Amino acid sequence: RSSLGTSWGEICINLFFIVGSKKTGKLPDTKMYPTEKLQPNKDTVFFRDGVRRIDFVLSYVDDKDGEKKQERRREFEANLEKAGLELETEDKADSKDQKTYFLKIHAPWDVLATYADVLKIKVPFKASDIPHGQDVPLEWLSHPFRLPEHIMRPVPDYFTYPFDKGKTDFFLINDKDTFFPPSTRNRIVFYILARCPYYKEGRNDREKTGIKRLLSNGTYTAAFPLHDCRYWKRARNAECESERYNLYKHWARFLCFYKEQPLNLIRKYYGEKIGIYFAWLGFYTEMLFFAAVMGLICFTYGALSYDDNISSKEICNDSIGGTILMCPLCDKKCPFWKLNSTCLSSWQSHLFDNEGTVFFAIFMGIWVTLFLEFWKRRQARLEYEWDLVDFEEEQQQLQIRPEFEIRCTNRRLNKITQEMEPYLPITSKCARFCLSGATVLFWVCLIVACIIGVIAYRLAVYAAFASIIKDPMRKIQVVGRFITPQLATSVTASCINFVIIMILNFFYEKVAVWITDMEIPKTHLEYENRLTMKMFLFQFVNYYSSCFYLAFFKGKFVGYPGEYSYMFGGLSKLRNEECDPGGCLIELSTQLVIVMAGKQLWGNIQEALVMRNWWSGRKGRHHPENHYSRWEQDNVLLNFSQLGLFYEYLEMVIQFGFITLFVASFPLAPLLALFNNILEIRVDAWKFTTQFRRPVASKARNIGAWQEILNAVAILSVVTNAFIMAFTSDMIPRMVYLYAYSEKSNMRGYVNNSLSVYNISQIPEAHMPEEHDSWMDNSTTCRYRDYRYPPGHEREYKHTMQFWHILAAKMAFIIIMEHVVFVVKFFVAWMIPDVPSDVKARIKRERYLTQEYLHNYEVERLKLQLSASFITEPPSEMTSPTDKHEILSECL
């Protein structure tokens, strides 16, 4: 027995097998040799002969509707063989469950070369002589975060050129079996599978085409390329790269959270599309570090300046806040209340509503610009390194969706290619778009209706909470100090809103996919972009509408005692909500924390459940390679759908909206996002390496429509944060009081100045609270949050000049902040080029060298052809060989 664990008898059988194939030119009938003898190790990615690599696997089972499915499989497999693919079937008797058949597919060199030419796949033709870059100063500081060089750069750098089957000697083909990497091989095979028909010859039933339809109708149960090995152990076969093992060891384990990501290895194993996602997620997480540090500094400043918060001291002071009687916050059920009952919430509000918040809002407006601009540069570098610079045209022209080709029966002449191509008539396209738009509009209106319902809940339940805690002088000191009606209403409404968000998400995801399928987009890129816009529009309204209500509507249309505004006008008895004396910012912070943290927590719980199931199954599985074949091990894994990355992007972009649109209300949001993303990267990596089947490799040069969405959110965030600081925060009223109305240039007396006076006797009986006579302290007036003239004044209950001064200051602040941030944004965007100068130079250098090398190749090829023609051509009296050589030299 050899050191590899293979007996000499088995080695002799394999040698006999190979020698026989060389003599006859054909492979021996594998049915003659039992699988156990030819391939004792079932954990392999090769056919039974141990030579041909398995590029794709299809699985199926026999069931009641077996005859129809057998007929489909028979026709489909026959057409695959006509296309040049080689097939090998594993009988169900050899599978562990004794039910599943496995069809293994191998693409020989001729098929790979043909379709590589069709798809214009770039392959190496010369080793690159361009250096990677200069040494970075203090590079030793980054050594703890580095990965080994063979992991970071799994393949050398080459100059590449689109493959041409007629010029195979131009490319660096050392071994045809390994020239195309497994990711390219499975991409080519899937391209064939997606377009192969399963109808009989002579019939033209275009709908009976492609592996996707066969999977949907149950003819096959799964279709997937194989992982190259087990993730926790290297492959025994030296020809297997064991890249999955390297990814798990250096990337997917949580203990590697501080290490850089092996992006080149991810791209090599999973394809450029998945590689670009992890590159973006890693870069986004790195940039979050700076935002998180500034947010933490801002929060720390608010905590350390507690003692300097004069307004909160006045509210909590028994001789000031304890003597101020406030008007009821709702009709009948809400009592009069003392201002000092909001002592705790005023302190909490100061943590987020302080002078540092303005600086942080401006900083985030600049940070988001830097993030987007530096990402463009990072993306441009990846495009060059991963040969994606000229990929856009290929994406549009060559990756037409099979569904488009099948469902579009009309044909027209392409003016560029001069070939007939399928197209969708304009009438059908308009009708589909109208139906799609109406569906999206209906669901957006449904979300708005749900939000209105939550607002109505807030108004109704506030009165209920207020009736429970009626006596502010006695019970609020025991319960209401920590659980006030405002806090209870805000928390419960936020939780209900979060549940509604998750329910609507579940249904709309299916609707969005359905209406996008109905539109029949032409290319995969078109399909993803349309689905992206629909889903983000819905998610934007779903997640952010409640935050927009708290930031810009609550407390802005209240009225005053005796003339309150009501929801739906006079049709309801639900009075519009007021803000606390400390402002609405603390409620916006509460809403943001519950929705943002709740969403992340829900996602992490789902990940934890998956990990728990995996661990329980892992403990019960010992040496699966001895019992399960490689295709059986992969078959039980989860399928990574075509829209798998879509949901990952969507989750991160929604988070990006939370930390930019409303960050002025909660400076710790970037810190929460940073912790979540550090975990997210490793959990996603763990899922890809251990839980999912190997996805079909696909190309993408950028993050697609998400880039434009991020740009739009970045611009909108400047506006929302300016309005939050002006209208939701109390910063502007405090500044106006400090510099225009304070007698001693300090904040003493601000609380009294910000509250207007109302005569209790003028409150209508229908609005008066029940049982109020026993605890009014014989007061004749109550206070409310506004700037209005007191009773008895000639302009009684009209807005004072201070109100208009504050409004003018708010508008001026919005204009100044927006212009300052936008000027800095556009200046930074202008200063930072999208493509680094060294990358531009490298692209030009590579194109020049490619053209030069290709020219020299064509010249040498022409010389050989002409020399061969001179040898075969008989001598002519008119032209001597010497003359011909002179003419040839002049031409060249």
Side-chain angles (χ1 to χ4, degrees), residues 198-444:
Y198 56 91
Y199 51 82
K200 292 183 178 180
E201 190 174 354
R203 297 178 59 183
N204 191 13
D205 192 351
R206 294 190 58 83
E207 289 190 359
K208 293 184 176 181
T209 302
I211 187 62
K212 289 185 179 180
R213 288 189 65 87
L214 291 172
L215 290 171
S216 62
N217 61 32
T219 303
Y220 291 100
T221 55
F224 52 91
L226 290 178
H227 282 294
D228 62 359
C229 67
R230 294 156 285 159
Y231 64 86
W232 69 91
K233 192 175 182 181
R234 291 186 181 277
R236 292 184 180 181
N237 192 331
E239 295 183 16
C240 290
E241 300 84 356
S242 297
E243 291 172 349
R244 186 190 187 192
Y245 167 78
N246 287 331
L247 286 169
Y248 178 75
K249 180 181 178 181
H250 297 283
W251 178 51
R253 295 189 303 171
F254 182 74
L255 294 178
C256 301
F257 74 91
Y258 63 94
K259 296 278 191 179
E260 61 184 337
Q261 296 188 88
L263 295 178
N264 289 315
L265 185 58
I266 297 169
R267 172 245 182 173
K268 183 173 182 286
Y269 192 73
Y270 291 114
E272 287 79 2
K273 192 172 185 178
I274 292 175
I276 206 78
Y277 163 73
F278 279 103
W280 176 83
L281 181 57
F283 183 81
Y284 171 47
T285 305
E286 291 171 12
M287 291 295 291
L288 270 178
F289 173 78
F290 303 101
V293 169
M294 292 306 301
L296 187 61
I297 292 173
C298 178
F299 179 80
T300 305
Y301 171 79
L304 295 178
S305 60
Y306 245 32
D307 295 335
D308 300 329
N309 185 13
I310 297 175
S311 300
S312 293
K313 288 181 178 179
E314 290 185 347
I315 291 174
C316 298
N317 194 321
D318 291 338
S319 61
I320 302 176
T323 60
I324 297 177
L325 185 70
M326 302 296 294
C327 298
L329 294 174
C330 64
D331 297 340
K332 287 293 184 181
K333 299 294 183 182
C334 297
F336 293 93
W337 52 286
K338 295 293 185 178
L339 181 61
N340 64 351
S341 65
T342 61
C343 175
L344 183 62
S345 64
S346 69
W347 285 109
Q348 293 170 343
S349 181
H350 178 72
L351 289 173
F352 309 114
D353 191 4
N354 54 67
E355 294 80 5
T357 309
V358 183
F359 167 76
F360 185 62
I362 296 174
F363 168 82
M364 287 301 294
I366 299 171
W367 173 87
V368 73
T369 304
L370 292 173
F371 163 64
L372 293 174
E373 292 302 318
F374 283 132
W375 165 246
K376 289 178 185 176
R377 291 170 62 83
R378 178 76 174 118
Q379 188 172 257
R381 193 174 295 277
L382 288 175
E383 285 180 20
Y384 165 71
E385 292 176 357
W386 292 356
D387 287 326
L388 299 171
V389 175
D390 303 319
F391 177 67
E392 194 64 35
E393 293 182 4
E394 299 176 30
Q395 181 87 359
Q396 293 291 344
Q397 296 177 7
L398 298 174
Q399 294 201 358
I400 296 177
R401 298 173 66 237
E403 293 85 350
F404 182 85
E405 295 178 327
I406 294 167
R407 296 174 65 181
C408 295
T409 56
N410 298 294
R411 293 288 187 273
R412 67 179 176 188
L413 184 68
N414 187 313
K415 295 180 180 179
I416 299 173
T417 62
Q418 293 297 308
E419 295 178 358
M420 299 300 291
E421 66 175 10
Y423 81 102
L424 193 65
I426 189 67
T427 53
S428 176
K429 188 180 293 187
C430 290
R432 293 171 187 273
F433 280 170
C434 289
L435 179 58
S436 173
T439 307
V440 173
L441 183 62
F442 168 78
W443 278 88
V444 169

Side-chain angles (χ1 to χ4, degrees), residues 736-796:
V736 171
Y737 175 79
L738 179 64
Y739 295 110
Y741 291 90
S742 175
E743 296 179 358
K744 298 182 180 180
S745 296
N746 58 36
M747 293 302 294
R748 296 189 184 279
Y750 168 72
V751 173
N752 186 62
N753 175 267
S754 65
L755 299 174
S756 298
V757 180
Y758 195 81
N759 194 336
I760 293 177
S761 63
Q762 293 179 305
I763 297 178
E765 187 62 30
H767 300 169
M768 284 291 287
E770 302 168 351
E771 303 175 3
H772 58 274
D773 295 332
S774 60
W775 42 264
M776 277 178 50
D777 297 337
N778 298 320
S779 299
T780 59
T781 60
C782 64
R783 310 295 290 273
Y784 60 99
R785 195 168 186 265
D786 208 343
Y787 294 92
R788 295 179 183 271
Y789 289 108
H793 194 276
E794 61 179 3
R795 300 190 64 196
E796 183 179 69

Side-chain angles (χ1 to χ4, degrees), residues 732 736 740-741 800-812:
I732 300 298
V736 171
Y741 291 90
T800 64
M801 283 304 297
Q802 186 175 354
F803 170 84
W804 300 109
H805 290 161
I806 291 173
L807 182 62
K810 288 179 177 180
M811 299 307 296

Side-chain angles (χ1 to χ4, degrees), residues 492-507:
T492 56
S494 298
C495 292
I496 291 173
N497 185 55
F498 175 71
V499 172
I500 292 174
I501 286 171
M502 302 311 293
I503 293 173
L504 290 177
N505 273 352
F506 174 77
F507 288 106

